[in-house]
Amino acid sequence: VACYYILASNENLIEDIKLELDQEELSDKAFAKFINTSSKRYLFLIDEADDFVKYEKEHNYSSLKFMRSLSEKNNASFILAGFWETYRYTFFDYQSPIKNFASIFELEELEYEACIDLAIKPMKSLGLSYDSQKSVEWMITRLGQRANLIQIVCDYLVENIGASQKIITKEDITKALEGEKLLKFFDDWNEMSTDSKEKWIDRVVLYGTIAKGRFDDGDLQGLIKRYGLEINSNELDKSLVRLRLGYIIRKEDDGGYIYRVPLFVDSLLRGDVEGRFLGEVGK
């Protein structure tokens, strides 16, 4: 199998795929013949697919229909890595060709032992180690086993510990957890949609529940009724999907929800969450 990584563009994804295979001169019909008659099988990873999928929705899914036709011949497969827009047009748009030829896989937290390795092994290659295993485990727990957050903290540690220091202490980790880059990442949590009402609903859900730690559908319906909010069940369900995809909440087996990253929760609770919530429901 020949594998290719392609960063999605809004308009020219098929042309980008042709370019990767040095077949940019071919028409779509000729390119399809090239793929379907090749002795190879092709796997294309299309990264950051949200803008591309949204563009496709607005242009009759022409490229996605072409990709589906290639996939149906079993000589080419496509992995679209995206977020809310990719999910939205797979599950909620029945005209989308993605719905007919794709399966959804949601990425979960990194396995615990892999988190340990991610925190320790790169440091070891730099001649650095931690003062104890417990310090590493504490960091991983605070970050909810989220790989990119562990990477941000480790980058901070490498950049900010003293040149002669070889042991990373819990105090060093504590400073890293309060680093500007990590807090900026948390501040951007509400960028999961470009739609202003969807973003507002996400804020209402989060600010209205984060102090509880755990909540369920009944809690949310109670908030909507108490404050007379114009949020229907479909809009609420989509908000919960966005918050889940954004690794902010996790749905438990009993149907309740919990927040996944303790450090994120604490960073918000240090502010006036109740005031923010009242500001949102007063709009």
Side-chain angles (χ1 to χ4, degrees):
V1 178
C3 301
Y4 295 87
Y5 171 87
I6 299 170
L7 194 64
S9 61
N10 287 6
E11 303 175 37
N12 300 313
L13 181 60
I14 301 303
E15 299 306 314
D16 291 342
I17 292 174
K18 292 177 185 178
L19 187 63
E20 283 291 321
L21 273 63
D22 295 322
Q23 302 296 328
E24 60 268 28
E25 301 300 324
L26 295 182
S27 66
D28 286 356
K29 184 176 180 179
F31 182 66
K33 183 177 180 180
F34 168 81
I35 292 289
N36 295 332
T37 59
S38 173
S39 59
K40 297 180 181 178
R41 293 196 69 244
Y42 295 92
L43 175 63
F44 300 99
L45 172 58
I46 313 300
D47 201 3
E48 298 187 17
D50 273 22
D51 287 344
F52 164 69
V53 172
K54 187 176 181 181
Y55 176 87
E56 283 290 292
K57 164 68 175 176
E58 296 166 354
H59 294 82
N60 198 33
Y61 292 115
S62 58
S63 294
L64 280 168
K65 288 176 180 176
F66 180 70
M67 291 161 63
R68 181 177 64 183
S69 70
L70 292 178
S71 179
E72 288 171 346
K73 299 295 184 181
N74 296 319
N75 225 32
S77 299
F78 300 88
I79 299 174
L80 274 66
F83 185 60
W84 169 238
E85 300 296 343
T86 303
Y87 189 98
R88 180 210 299 267
Y89 294 122
T90 301
F91 271 95
F92 301 116
D93 182 2
Y94 289 92
Q95 303 302 316
S96 170
I98 307 177
K99 195 172 187 68
N100 298 323
F101 84 101
S103 300
I104 285 282
F105 296 92
E106 294 182 29
L107 296 181
E108 292 292 331
E109 70 271 13
L110 191 62
E111 293 179 353
Y112 191 77
E113 290 303 319
C115 290
I116 297 290
D117 288 344
L118 181 60
I120 291 178
K121 287 186 175 180
M123 295 300 192
K124 187 175 181 180
S125 69
L126 296 173
L128 301 172
S129 61
Y130 295 87
D131 60 357
S132 71
Q133 181 82 0
K134 287 185 177 180
S135 293
V136 179
E137 293 171 352
W138 176 73
M139 174 180 71
I140 289 168
T141 299
R142 295 290 290 155
L143 298 175
Q145 293 178 232
R146 184 165 176 170
N148 62 331
L149 300 184
I150 296 171
Q151 187 63 54
I152 289 172
V153 170
C154 289
D155 287 346
Y156 179 96
L157 290 168
V158 171
E159 293 170 4
N160 289 277
I161 63 173
S164 61
Q165 183 177 342
K166 298 300 180 184
I167 303 297
I168 299 168
T169 67
K170 187 175 181 180
E171 288 72 24
D172 294 322
I173 296 172
T174 300
K175 290 180 182 178
L177 295 180
E178 297 171 352
E180 183 178 346
K181 186 175 181 180
L182 193 59
L183 296 180
K184 174 65 167 59
F185 184 89
F186 290 155
D187 287 343
D188 291 340
W189 74 268
N190 195 216
E191 300 302 319
M192 294 179 290
S193 172
T194 57
D195 181 87
S196 59
K197 185 175 184 182
E198 289 180 346
K199 294 172 78 167
W200 171 70
I201 295 171
D202 293 347
R203 292 194 299 273
V204 167
V205 171
L206 186 138
Y207 294 148
T209 62
I210 196 167
K212 289 174 63 68
R214 187 188 187 284
F215 65 95
D216 56 28
D217 291 332
D219 295 320
L220 294 174
Q221 293 298 338
L223 288 175
I224 291 170
K225 184 176 181 180
R226 187 179 314 137
Y227 293 96
L229 304 177
E230 295 184 3
I231 301 174
N232 62 44
S233 296
N234 184 49
E235 291 172 326
L236 185 60
D237 288 344
K238 289 180 179 180
S239 176
L240 292 170
V241 169
R242 284 191 296 276
L243 293 170
R244 197 178 75 236
L245 292 176
Y247 203 84
I248 291 175
I249 62 174
R250 178 176 67 224
K251 189 171 185 177
E252 301 284 78
D253 292 339
D254 63 1
Y257 296 89
I258 63 170
Y259 284 86
R260 306 190 70 153
V261 181
L263 185 65
F264 171 72
V265 174
D266 291 346
S267 71
L268 282 179
L269 291 180
R270 282 198 292 266
D272 183 9
V273 172
E274 183 178 2
R276 290 184 180 185
F277 173 75
L278 293 175
E280 296 296 340
V281 299
K283 291 182 179 179

